[in-house]
Amino acid sequence: YINSKISSSKYETIEMSDKIQYKYYEGRWAVLPNFINMTPKRIGTTDKFSLEGLEYSELYFGFVMHGYVSVENAGNYTFYTATNDGSKLLVDNVEIIDNDGAHGTIEKSGKVYLEKGKHLIELRYFQAGGGKAMKVFWKGPNFEKREMTKEDLSGN
């Protein structure tokens, strides 16, 4: 028999809130690091998936953001990230957008079917110097593409 590699995982509970919870990191990366194994420099909350109103280093930093959205109608939803540099977007712990790497502002999208109810949105983002951009948009069965705002977030 051949010995197998040891595998381990780390999990954390994300509290349901009407705010976006974030963890802020500093470091220099060319692709998204495994943030879960790192210690954040700061933890806080904000109203939307954006750099607006947040404090961060001038050049090299990253964020992991979690928020719950309330879906009123089951159906197909399209999510978009517009980031400079890399990002990934997960819905209910499933990656639907991979916009990783050091690059100028690029918008990418992904589709997912969502049942009525609350769904966890996670954005992982890093900045590798130069221009900065981080925004999340979505489109659903009864609304056109728009930036995700605090009105879309659900509390307990």
Side-chain angles (χ1 to χ4, degrees):
Y1 296 105
I2 298 173
N3 289 336
S4 63
K5 293 182 179 181
I6 296 173
S7 179
S8 64
S9 294
K10 207 175 193 183
Y11 299 92
E12 51 187 358
T13 303
I14 308 300
E15 297 290 326
M16 197 167 292
S17 169
D18 60 354
K19 293 266 193 185
I20 293 169
Q21 303 162 59
Y22 70 81
K23 292 182 180 179
Y24 168 75
Y25 303 85
E26 289 183 354
R28 192 170 183 164
W29 310 287
V31 294
L32 279 162
N34 187 355
F35 286 115
I36 201 154
N37 291 324
M38 300 170 68
T39 302
K41 289 194 81 79
R42 188 171 54 255
I43 296 172
T45 61
T46 186
D47 287 335
K48 61 183 184 174
F49 294 97
S50 170
L51 293 173
E52 294 172 31
L54 296 177
E55 292 181 31
Y56 48 82
S57 168
E58 184 60 30
L59 294 176
Y60 307 107
F61 61 89
F63 282 96
V64 175
M65 299 179 149
H66 295 95
Y68 284 88
V69 293
S70 185
V71 170
E72 298 300 319
N73 299 295
N76 290 312
Y77 287 79
T78 304
F79 290 83
Y80 307 82
T81 61
T83 60
N84 173 349
D85 290 284
S87 65
K88 289 187 179 187
L89 186 92
L90 295 84
V91 177
D92 293 331
N93 298 309
V94 176
E95 183 182 306
I96 63 164
I97 300 174
D98 182 352
N99 195 4
D100 202 2
H103 53 72
T105 302
I106 295 175
E107 182 177 281
K108 288 197 174 181
S109 65
K111 293 182 182 180
V112 63
Y113 180 86
L114 297 177
E115 295 290 343
K116 180 179 177 174
K118 297 173 184 187
H119 298 273
L120 176 63
I121 307 299
E122 177 179 330
L123 177 67
R124 301 173 187 167
Y125 167 79
F126 81 96
Q127 171 53 233
K132 298 169 190 65
M134 178 179 71
K135 291 193 182 271
V136 174
F137 304 86
W138 70 326
K139 176 174 72 170
N142 294 326
F143 62 92
E144 292 302 311
K145 179 181 173 185
R146 67 175 190 235
E147 186 173 359
M148 191 171 279
T149 66
K150 65 181 178 180
E151 287 77 23
D152 298 317
L153 303 176
S154 60
N156 298 331

